[in-house]
PDB file of all heavy atoms in Angstrom:
ATOM      1  N   GLY J  28      -5.474   3.524   1.809  1.00  0.00           N
ATOM      2  CA  GLY J  28      -6.747   2.950   1.348  1.00  0.00           C
ATOM      3  C   GLY J  28      -6.571   1.800   0.400  1.00  0.00           C
ATOM      4  O   GLY J  28      -7.296   0.858   0.455  1.00  0.00           O
ATOM      5  N   SER J  29      -5.573   1.807  -0.432  1.00  0.00           N
ATOM      6  CA  SER J  29      -5.302   0.673  -1.352  1.00  0.00           C
ATOM      7  C   SER J  29      -4.828  -0.522  -0.530  1.00  0.00           C
ATOM      8  O   SER J  29      -5.225  -1.677  -0.857  1.00  0.00           O
ATOM      9  CB  SER J  29      -4.264   1.059  -2.403  1.00  0.00           C
ATOM     10  OG  SER J  29      -3.009   1.370  -1.769  1.00  0.00           O
ATOM     11  N   THR J  30      -4.137  -0.333   0.514  1.00  0.00           N
ATOM     12  CA  THR J  30      -3.711  -1.453   1.372  1.00  0.00           C
ATOM     13  C   THR J  30      -4.948  -2.030   2.138  1.00  0.00           C
ATOM     14  O   THR J  30      -5.109  -3.244   2.200  1.00  0.00           O
ATOM     15  CB  THR J  30      -2.671  -1.018   2.398  1.00  0.00           C
ATOM     16  OG1 THR J  30      -1.535  -0.443   1.655  1.00  0.00           O
ATOM     17  CG2 THR J  30      -2.149  -2.163   3.185  1.00  0.00           C
ATOM     18  N   THR J  31      -5.800  -1.131   2.541  1.00  0.00           N
ATOM     19  CA  THR J  31      -7.041  -1.619   3.200  1.00  0.00           C
ATOM     20  C   THR J  31      -7.867  -2.443   2.233  1.00  0.00           C
ATOM     21  O   THR J  31      -8.420  -3.484   2.541  1.00  0.00           O
ATOM     22  CB  THR J  31      -7.853  -0.423   3.676  1.00  0.00           C
ATOM     23  OG1 THR J  31      -7.060   0.366   4.539  1.00  0.00           O
ATOM     24  CG2 THR J  31      -9.090  -0.908   4.437  1.00  0.00           C
ATOM     25  N   GLY J  32      -7.947  -2.025   1.007  1.00  0.00           N
ATOM     26  CA  GLY J  32      -8.687  -2.740  -0.074  1.00  0.00           C
ATOM     27  C   GLY J  32      -8.060  -4.110  -0.352  1.00  0.00           C
ATOM     28  O   GLY J  32      -8.796  -5.062  -0.553  1.00  0.00           O
ATOM     29  N   LEU J  33      -6.751  -4.191  -0.337  1.00  0.00           N
ATOM     30  CA  LEU J  33      -6.111  -5.470  -0.568  1.00  0.00           C
ATOM     31  C   LEU J  33      -6.243  -6.425   0.599  1.00  0.00           C
ATOM     32  O   LEU J  33      -6.422  -7.545   0.425  1.00  0.00           O
ATOM     33  CB  LEU J  33      -4.611  -5.204  -0.881  1.00  0.00           C
ATOM     34  CG  LEU J  33      -4.318  -4.609  -2.198  1.00  0.00           C
ATOM     35  CD1 LEU J  33      -2.750  -4.283  -2.309  1.00  0.00           C
ATOM     36  CD2 LEU J  33      -4.690  -5.487  -3.334  1.00  0.00           C
ATOM     37  N   ILE J  34      -6.229  -5.798   1.799  1.00  0.00           N
ATOM     38  CA  ILE J  34      -6.481  -6.718   2.980  1.00  0.00           C
ATOM     39  C   ILE J  34      -7.974  -7.243   2.921  1.00  0.00           C
ATOM     40  O   ILE J  34      -8.239  -8.393   3.166  1.00  0.00           O
ATOM     41  CB  ILE J  34      -6.253  -5.839   4.247  1.00  0.00           C
ATOM     42  CG1 ILE J  34      -4.832  -5.514   4.402  1.00  0.00           C
ATOM     43  CG2 ILE J  34      -6.873  -6.589   5.470  1.00  0.00           C
ATOM     44  CD1 ILE J  34      -4.594  -4.510   5.554  1.00  0.00           C
ATOM     45  N   PHE J  35      -8.934  -6.409   2.443  1.00  0.00           N
ATOM     46  CA  PHE J  35     -10.272  -6.881   2.383  1.00  0.00           C
ATOM     47  C   PHE J  35     -10.433  -7.880   1.291  1.00  0.00           C
ATOM     48  O   PHE J  35     -11.076  -8.939   1.494  1.00  0.00           O
ATOM     49  CB  PHE J  35     -11.175  -5.720   2.071  1.00  0.00           C
ATOM     50  CG  PHE J  35     -12.676  -6.037   1.879  1.00  0.00           C
ATOM     51  CD1 PHE J  35     -13.400  -6.435   2.996  1.00  0.00           C
ATOM     52  CD2 PHE J  35     -13.249  -6.014   0.628  1.00  0.00           C
ATOM     53  CE1 PHE J  35     -14.709  -6.810   2.714  1.00  0.00           C
ATOM     54  CE2 PHE J  35     -14.554  -6.351   0.435  1.00  0.00           C
ATOM     55  CZ  PHE J  35     -15.302  -6.740   1.493  1.00  0.00           C
ATOM     56  N   THR J  36      -9.844  -7.720   0.186  1.00  0.00           N
ATOM     57  CA  THR J  36      -9.931  -8.707  -0.925  1.00  0.00           C
ATOM     58  C   THR J  36      -9.339 -10.054  -0.494  1.00  0.00           C
ATOM     59  O   THR J  36      -9.924 -11.122  -0.715  1.00  0.00           O
ATOM     60  CB  THR J  36      -9.244  -8.209  -2.221  1.00  0.00           C
ATOM     61  OG1 THR J  36      -9.895  -6.890  -2.506  1.00  0.00           O
ATOM     62  CG2 THR J  36      -9.426  -9.151  -3.314  1.00  0.00           C
ATOM     63  N   SER J  37      -8.158  -9.954   0.208  1.00  0.00           N
ATOM     64  CA  SER J  37      -7.630 -11.170   0.659  1.00  0.00           C
ATOM     65  C   SER J  37      -8.475 -11.831   1.716  1.00  0.00           C
ATOM     66  O   SER J  37      -8.610 -13.089   1.707  1.00  0.00           O
ATOM     67  CB  SER J  37      -6.255 -10.938   1.315  1.00  0.00           C
ATOM     68  OG  SER J  37      -5.349 -10.266   0.381  1.00  0.00           O
ATOM     69  N   PHE J  38      -9.135 -11.058   2.650  1.00  0.00           N
ATOM     70  CA  PHE J  38     -10.079 -11.555   3.628  1.00  0.00           C
ATOM     71  C   PHE J  38     -11.203 -12.357   2.944  1.00  0.00           C
ATOM     72  O   PHE J  38     -11.592 -13.362   3.408  1.00  0.00           O
ATOM     73  CB  PHE J  38     -10.472 -10.417   4.488  1.00  0.00           C
ATOM     74  CG  PHE J  38     -11.453 -10.736   5.495  1.00  0.00           C
ATOM     75  CD1 PHE J  38     -11.068 -11.536   6.600  1.00  0.00           C
ATOM     76  CD2 PHE J  38     -12.768 -10.373   5.382  1.00  0.00           C
ATOM     77  CE1 PHE J  38     -11.996 -11.836   7.568  1.00  0.00           C
ATOM     78  CE2 PHE J  38     -13.711 -10.617   6.335  1.00  0.00           C
ATOM     79  CZ  PHE J  38     -13.300 -11.438   7.488  1.00  0.00           C
ATOM     80  N   LEU J  89     -12.627   2.154   3.717  1.00  0.00           N
ATOM     81  CA  LEU J  89     -12.758   1.233   2.556  1.00  0.00           C
ATOM     82  C   LEU J  89     -13.644   1.900   1.569  1.00  0.00           C
ATOM     83  O   LEU J  89     -14.895   2.151   1.935  1.00  0.00           O
ATOM     84  CB  LEU J  89     -13.216  -0.115   2.991  1.00  0.00           C
ATOM     85  CG  LEU J  89     -13.160  -1.237   2.038  1.00  0.00           C
ATOM     86  CD1 LEU J  89     -11.638  -1.578   1.637  1.00  0.00           C
ATOM     87  CD2 LEU J  89     -13.720  -2.472   2.651  1.00  0.00           C
ATOM     88  N   TRP J  93     -13.559  -1.046  -3.753  1.00  0.00           N
ATOM     89  CA  TRP J  93     -12.957  -2.174  -3.079  1.00  0.00           C
ATOM     90  C   TRP J  93     -13.930  -3.078  -2.455  1.00  0.00           C
ATOM     91  O   TRP J  93     -13.779  -4.368  -2.466  1.00  0.00           O
ATOM     92  CB  TRP J  93     -11.851  -1.778  -2.023  1.00  0.00           C
ATOM     93  CG  TRP J  93     -10.617  -1.292  -2.558  1.00  0.00           C
ATOM     94  CD1 TRP J  93     -10.154  -0.070  -2.621  1.00  0.00           C
ATOM     95  CD2 TRP J  93      -9.542  -2.091  -3.173  1.00  0.00           C
ATOM     96  NE1 TRP J  93      -8.949   0.012  -3.264  1.00  0.00           N
ATOM     97  CE2 TRP J  93      -8.579  -1.270  -3.646  1.00  0.00           C
ATOM     98  CE3 TRP J  93      -9.434  -3.397  -3.450  1.00  0.00           C
ATOM     99  CZ2 TRP J  93      -7.417  -1.752  -4.193  1.00  0.00           C
ATOM    100  CZ3 TRP J  93      -8.255  -3.928  -4.051  1.00  0.00           C
ATOM    101  CH2 TRP J  93      -7.267  -3.050  -4.417  1.00  0.00           C
TER     102      TRP J  93
END
Side-chain angles (χ1 to χ4, degrees):
S29 61
T30 305
T31 306
L33 289 174
I34 292 170
F35 176 69
T36 304
S37 302
F38 178 72
L89 192 62
W93 281 108

